[in-house]
Amino acid sequence: MLKREHTAHHVLDVTFSIRATTASRRPPGLSLAQPRCKWLSHQQPVDAPSIQCHVSCECKPRERNAMARGFGSGRLPILNVSIVFSVVLVACLFGILTRPYGSLAAFWPANAVLLGLFVRHPPLVSPAGWFAAIAGYFTADILTGGSLLLTIWLTAGNLAGVGVGVLLYARINDAHRTLGQPSSVLYLLGVLSCAAAGSAVVGAGVAPVFFGRDWVSGLAFWFTTELVNGIIVLPVILTAPAGPFISALDLRRGGKDKAAFLTGAPIVALALSLVVGHLVGGMGALAFPSPALLWCALVYPLFPTVLLTMLVSISHLIAVSLGVVGEPAGHIDAMTMTDRLSIMLLALGPLTVASINAARVELTSTLTRLATYDALTGALTRAAFSAQASSVLSARPGPLAVMTIDIDHFKRINDTHGHAAGDRALAAFADVVGRALRKDDLFGRIGGEEFAILTPAVSDQGAKGIADRLRAEIEDLSCALPSGDMLRFTVSVGFVHVQGNTQLSLENLLAAADDALYRAKGAGRNQVVAA
């Protein structure tokens, strides 16, 4: 159960790393990222809807400016440089290994991965970071026997696209970068289209010089490859949570008690659709997984959906390149590029639905939190306290106590020091109460300066001890005001204790506690009185 929501935000710096096999031919690299993750600390009531921890990737202004300039201001640790180099190298090599014919790679993740690495971890966007990426591209080409001029040209094209993507993402807010808004996929498509165009303009010249094809064909192929691989790979890197990878794959959006059938059914449907598509054959087989992916987007959180979409898209790219679906391609032509664009367009559907659903879940969580917790004190609202306390009483627990607490002379505090001082007093009081109560106690704000507490499994003397301790701690509390003055105040407490299986309603118990509270005020305030 919930006693109160802590209002403090804790900011954690977490290094999140992604490994991938990548290389340096045609298009560029992958990443490890260090997002700054924000989480709201709170305890959760048994019957309250699950409030998801919102994880957002954000940059400090200095880091964002560095990303916009294309280089950072500080020295990059050797470990980070090694990570950039290794990630780009492995991603490039992976792309080369998927190249079943000629110069065409079936899947080239390197550029999208490097862009994701730089976007997720802006301090890497430094001269050392760029140099490490260049070294990764060069090493991959040297290991696979590429000529020096071709390597330089291809690397320039790769880095041109990454550079354009870095500059554009520096101007996009955190919610869109992590696909957390309904229109985020449009931003993703726009950024990657510009990045692909920049990369294609620089790199397309290799087609007539080294591969005997005209510049326009090279431009079209490079643009298509960059755009398709970016749409498939980049969302996974941008949406990957900073927590443990296994917990990020939790598919239960609706809570741990959700039926296993409902959780696993979309994945089963996705697997069956892939099998059926393979059996049917033809290019139409590429569309078979689309309904199942849309189902996944509606049921699962954002990251698992994006990951499943990437895996399906990669399998489609490889299947098309190998001729498992359609006719095997022996060279780069319009049909090859059309097939790749078709796979990309099929991926946009589940990505968009997942992004919209993520925004809906976040909005629902925010509204739930606002309806459940008081914004100033973090205590339960009156309605939430009543609902949860009534639920406890209906379960016929053992002995329990209900307390009502009122800040003495609260109007005088507002009149003398202002409403800001009154707010500080309320927040300081709630903080003391929240730290003093147990995990199963309920704490709610039921009026302006009046609060209620329900403490289950407590004796009459135990309830009085809790009330006395709270009263004493508040009496000793000093609250600093903006003027420099120290504000001190007291509280009056009335409580009622009942044995288990009580037939009294919450309203009856609150009325009895209120009566005791009025007697405490009448006795001079700063008192604890039992009903």
Side-chain angles (χ1 to χ4, degrees):
M1 285 185 190
L2 171 74
K3 49 187 177 187
R4 66 185 292 262
E5 179 188 56
H6 300 284
T7 54
H9 289 73
H10 305 268
V11 179
L12 306 178
D13 286 319
V14 183
T15 300
F16 174 78
S17 60
I18 301 175
R19 295 181 182 175
T21 24
T22 67
S24 128
R25 301 203 60 121
R26 308 320 123 318
L30 166 89
S31 77
L32 115 70
Q34 188 176 20
R36 193 159 274 96
C37 101
K38 279 186 173 184
W39 57 282
L40 191 60
S41 174
H42 67 277
Q43 290 170 300
Q44 185 173 325
V46 168
D47 298 319
S50 172
I51 295 182
Q52 299 295 328
C53 173
H54 173 63
V55 180
S56 65
C57 229
E58 65 176 5
C59 312
K60 293 179 181 178
R62 183 178 62 183
E63 293 172 342
R64 185 177 296 207
N65 291 338
M67 191 163 71
R69 293 194 305 269
F71 53 87
S73 56
R75 293 183 177 180
L76 207 57
I78 187 64
L79 176 61
N80 288 355
V81 172
S82 301
I83 289 171
V84 174
F85 168 80
S86 301
V87 161
V88 171
L89 174 62
V90 173
C92 291
L93 292 175
F94 179 79
I96 292 174
L97 290 176
T98 65
R99 194 178 59 213
Y101 51 83
S103 63
L104 176 61
F107 176 58
W108 184 265
N111 296 350
V113 166
L114 181 61
L115 175 57
L117 175 59
F118 282 167
V119 171
R120 288 292 301 259
H121 192 17
L124 292 180
V125 187
S126 66
W130 287 109
F131 177 79
I134 293 172
Y137 286 123
F138 267 67
T139 302
D141 263 338
I142 291 172
L143 291 177
T144 54
S147 67
L148 180 60
L149 178 58
L150 178 61
T151 297
I152 293 174
W153 203 332
L154 293 173
T155 300
N158 291 335
L159 294 180
V162 175
V164 171
V166 167
L167 290 173
L168 292 177
Y169 263 116
R171 290 157 175 79
I172 294 177
N173 65 40
D174 301 326
H176 284 307
R177 277 206 294 270
T178 55
L179 303 186
Q181 296 296 317
S183 58
S184 295
V185 174
L186 294 178
Y187 282 85
L188 173 74
L189 182 60
V191 170
L192 290 179
S193 295
C194 294
S199 183
V201 168
V202 175
V206 300
V209 175
F210 291 96
F211 301 113
R213 302 191 62 82
D214 62 277
W215 184 83
V216 174
S217 296
L219 181 75
F221 170 68
W222 197 305
F223 175 83
T224 302
T225 300
E226 284 295 284
L227 181 59
V228 171
N229 291 325
I231 291 294
I232 291 173
V233 175
L234 188 59
V236 173
I237 302 172
L238 296 182
T239 60
F245 184 75
I246 297 301
S247 64
L249 295 178
D250 188 355
L251 301 179
R252 295 169 297 194
R253 190 197 296 279
K256 293 185 177 181
D257 58 344
K258 192 169 184 179
F261 170 77
L262 294 179
T263 300
I267 285 187
V268 173
L270 180 59
L272 290 176
S273 67
L274 290 171
V275 173
V276 172
H278 176 70
L279 295 175
V280 172
M283 294 306 299
L286 298 177
F288 274 62
S290 294
L293 283 174
L294 292 174
W295 190 6
C296 291
L298 291 171
V299 174
Y300 299 149
L302 180 60
F303 177 65
T305 301
V306 171
L307 184 61
L308 289 171
T309 302
M310 182 190 74
L311 295 175
V312 171
S313 299
I314 292 174
S315 69
H316 281 346
L317 285 174
I318 296 176
V320 169
S321 298
L322 295 174
V324 176
V325 175
E327 295 296 327
H331 60 278
I332 302 170
D333 56 16
M335 184 60 67
T336 301
M337 290 181 280
T338 300
D339 293 343
R340 289 167 174 256
L341 286 175
S342 299
I343 294 170
M344 181 206 73
L345 293 174
L346 289 173
L348 288 178
L351 290 179
T352 302
V353 173
S355 179
I356 293 173
N357 217 25
R360 180 189 63 80
V361 170
E362 178 65 23
L363 178 59
T364 301
S365 297
T366 300
L367 294 176
T368 300
R369 187 168 60 248
L370 291 174
T372 305
Y373 302 103
D374 176 63
L376 176 62
T377 64
L380 292 168
T381 61
R382 184 184 183 97
F385 177 82
S386 297
Q388 294 185 37
S390 297
S391 177
V392 171
L393 290 173
S394 66
R396 297 289 189 267
L400 59 82
V402 173
M403 306 178 192
T404 54
I405 308 175
D406 193 80
I407 298 179
D408 296 329
H409 301 297
F410 185 73
K411 185 176 183 302
R412 184 186 302 172
I413 294 175
N414 281 336
D415 293 343
T416 303
H417 302 285
H419 288 280
D423 288 347
R424 290 201 174 202
L426 289 170
F429 161 77
D431 185 62
V432 170
V433 175
R435 285 187 281 106
L437 295 183
R438 303 166 302 172
K439 177 175 179 280
D440 291 334
D441 296 340
L442 296 177
F443 173 45
R445 185 179 182 184
I446 60 175
E449 68 275 15
E450 187 174 358
F451 297 81
I453 296 173
L454 185 148
T455 58
V458 67
S459 66
D460 183 58
Q461 288 302 313
K464 188 175 188 309
I466 293 174
D468 283 331
R469 185 169 67 253
L470 288 175
R471 184 205 60 77
E473 289 188 18
I474 296 299
E475 185 179 20
D476 294 338
L477 179 67
S478 295
C479 183
L481 299 179
S483 63
D485 296 335
M486 301 301 293
L487 175 65
R488 301 177 68 91
F489 57 91
T490 61
V491 296
S492 298
V493 184
F495 78 93
V496 57
H497 181 269
V498 294
Q499 297 300 324
N501 299 320
T502 178
Q503 299 300 316
L504 294 175
S505 66
L506 177 64
E507 290 74 16
N508 297 140
L509 294 175
L510 286 174
D514 268 340
D515 182 65
L517 173 63
Y518 294 142
R519 286 191 279 121
K521 287 181 172 292
R525 293 182 169 82
N526 194 22
Q527 305 278 331
V528 173
V529 173

